[in-house]
Amino acid sequence: MSEDITIDRTLVQRVAAAWPRRSTIRSDMVTIESAAEYEEGRSDYPLRLLPFHDHPGFADVPPEQRELVLTLAWVVYNQRVISAEEHVANPAFALVMRGVFPGTDDFMFRRAIQQALVDEHWHTYMHMMAIERTRELRGLAEIPQFPHSVTYRRLYEERAKLPEAWERDLLSLVWATVAEVSINAYLTLLSGDQEIQPMHSLVTTLHARDEAAHGSLMVEVVKSLYIHMTRRQRRAFVQSLPKALHAFVAQDFSAWRAVLGHAGVPNVDAIVSDCELDRSNGPLVRNFKGIERLVRELDIYDQVAEGVPGLEPAAATAARAELPDGVGEAMLSLGDGFPDLA
Ligand SMILES: [Fe+2]
Ligand SMILES: [Fe+2]
């Protein structure tokens, strides 16, 4: 029962107390600002993470064009991280700080959440810099703005259906919860990548370091908010959580079409359509371990998990087994082929 929910106040205090030492805005601002390290011969994005990397239609693409595809894939990644910070994480943290939801009004929580807000703005900055450095490095005249992700579009579609402000606020909180608690699998995978430019893996390493703290903090924040929710609010929370989880694993290859189109690759429709039909690019689960812990602690697992890939142990194991090493975890968090989290 929710009455049994306990808040780990020690964890929140530890997260907040460590921030001055741990936060990458403090420890790594000079590195991010200084001239980026560049390694000849390394790409901007791992080839194996392109869903069409072994498609016959992509095999004949000349090396320069292939590199451009990888560069644009990295740009989309960064654009999506920024959009998730600006449209998902920050609005929800700001609502919490404004006291829209009771439960985290004490200084301990407010301190830690405000720190996370600072971090998120810094992450936007880091990824903005990453795009510009890439543009300079590759000599691109301009950076295309790629389509919004399905995760983001679903949030706005769902918001538009809700007549009351409190319902829309709660929906924002739910989307941010999934984002904050689940991002690290993908960030960590890219951060350890040896194929891509070191400055790119550095950005994801730094972001992942901050998010490790945010993920733990967010679980405690949401538990505390949930305790204080009315029955109606709890019902809305429980009903929208599966929608958010589905939105994070939904498929949408529109960005890949745009990437290949911008790079001038022929037969884009055929390549992308084949990927959409290919079961190994199917509705892949992401790593929802943090969410699983949260919903178990809130005692709402059964209401949330049904039909959600990633929360059903059998489905998750089967999906991973079909994928080669490394790709599994990455694709788990791609959903539409790109990570989309803050
Ligand atoms: Fe975060
Ligand atoms: Fe972030």
Side-chain angles (χ1 to χ4, degrees):
M1 297 300 288
S2 56
E3 284 63 36
D4 297 331
I5 298 167
T6 50
I7 307 300
D8 189 345
R9 294 181 64 88
T10 310
L11 181 144
V12 178
Q13 275 156 351
R14 251 195 357 252
V15 164
W19 187 71
R21 296 188 308 279
R22 184 204 61 238
S23 66
T24 63
I25 185 174
R26 185 191 168 283
S27 60
D28 291 271
M29 185 185 273
V30 173
T31 315
I32 290 294
E33 281 298 323
S34 55
E37 196 189 331
Y38 164 68
E39 269 195 37
E40 190 76 39
R42 286 217 204 170
S43 302
D44 290 317
Y45 196 78
L47 181 69
R48 69 180 189 286
L49 297 189
L50 302 180
F52 43 80
H53 72 277
D54 56 359
H55 189 282
F58 191 63
D60 298 332
V61 169
E64 316 80 65
Q65 209 169 15
R66 184 178 291 242
E67 288 304 318
L68 180 56
V69 169
L70 292 169
T71 298
L72 295 174
W74 170 242
V75 168
V76 180
Y77 169 88
N78 284 281
Q79 284 182 357
R80 290 191 167 191
V81 173
I82 291 171
S83 135
E85 301 287 15
E86 299 302 314
H87 297 286
V88 180
N90 287 343
F93 279 135
L95 288 171
V96 174
M97 284 305 288
R98 287 213 305 273
V100 167
F101 316 102
T104 52
D105 321 284
D106 62 338
F107 181 74
M108 176 194 75
F109 268 121
R110 291 179 61 76
R111 179 187 181 198
I113 296 163
Q114 188 62 44
Q115 291 171 347
L117 257 172
V118 173
D119 290 342
E120 303 301 12
H121 282 87
W122 164 241
H123 298 161
T124 294
Y125 183 81
M126 280 202 297
H127 290 277
M128 197 180 96
M129 293 298 284
I131 293 174
E132 180 58 13
R133 293 257 159 81
T134 306
R135 190 194 66 74
E136 287 169 0
L137 175 66
R138 304 301 179 191
L140 301 177
E142 57 179 36
I143 292 291
Q145 184 64 46
F146 289 99
H148 281 303
S149 69
V150 63
T151 313
Y152 169 97
R153 295 198 314 266
R154 291 252 179 109
L155 170 61
Y156 279 78
E157 284 161 18
E158 291 296 326
R159 271 179 71 86
K161 293 180 199 164
L162 300 173
E164 296 194 47
W166 72 265
E167 296 175 293
R168 294 192 294 273
D169 291 344
L170 207 56
L171 193 78
S172 298
L173 177 71
V174 166
W175 246 255
T177 301
V178 176
E180 284 298 299
V181 176
S182 315
I183 185 171
N184 254 19
Y186 190 77
L187 286 173
T188 309
L189 184 101
L190 261 198
S191 72
D193 197 281
Q194 300 298 309
E195 275 181 40
I196 62 173
Q197 287 293 330
M199 61 178 162
H200 300 346
S201 46
L202 175 69
V203 167
T204 52
T205 302
L206 297 180
H207 195 164
R209 198 188 302 164
D210 288 336
E211 293 303 338
H214 294 184
S216 313
L217 170 67
M218 195 67 176
V219 168
E220 302 309 315
V221 167
V222 173
K223 275 156 58 183
S224 193
L225 298 176
Y226 190 81
I227 287 173
H228 291 81
M229 282 181 199
T230 64
R231 203 172 287 179
R232 266 180 97 194
Q233 287 172 322
R234 284 188 185 186
R235 205 162 38 236
F237 181 87
V238 169
Q239 283 169 353
S240 43
L241 203 43
K243 288 179 189 162
L245 293 167
H246 279 291
F248 278 95
V249 297
Q251 287 211 89
D252 171 18
F253 284 80
S254 57
W256 290 122
R257 281 181 208 279
V259 163
L260 290 171
H262 275 288
V265 172
N267 306 317
V268 172
D269 278 339
I271 295 174
V272 176
S273 301
D274 286 346
C275 289
E276 284 172 318
L277 292 170
D278 185 350
R279 282 239 339 118
S280 66
N281 286 323
L284 295 156
V285 293
R286 50 174 300 116
N287 185 342
F288 282 139
K289 281 195 200 103
I291 288 292
E292 182 177 344
R293 207 191 99 210
L294 174 66
V295 296
R296 284 196 192 284
E297 289 200 40
L298 297 179
D299 199 22
I300 56 172
Y301 184 87
D302 291 342
Q303 298 154 72
V304 169
E306 198 183 334
V308 176
L311 286 186
E312 296 166 317
T317 310
R320 281 196 191 93
E322 286 177 16
L323 297 163
D325 277 356
V327 176
E329 276 301 303
M331 294 303 287
L332 299 184
S333 39
L334 296 184
D336 55 357
F338 285 104
D340 187 36
L341 301 159

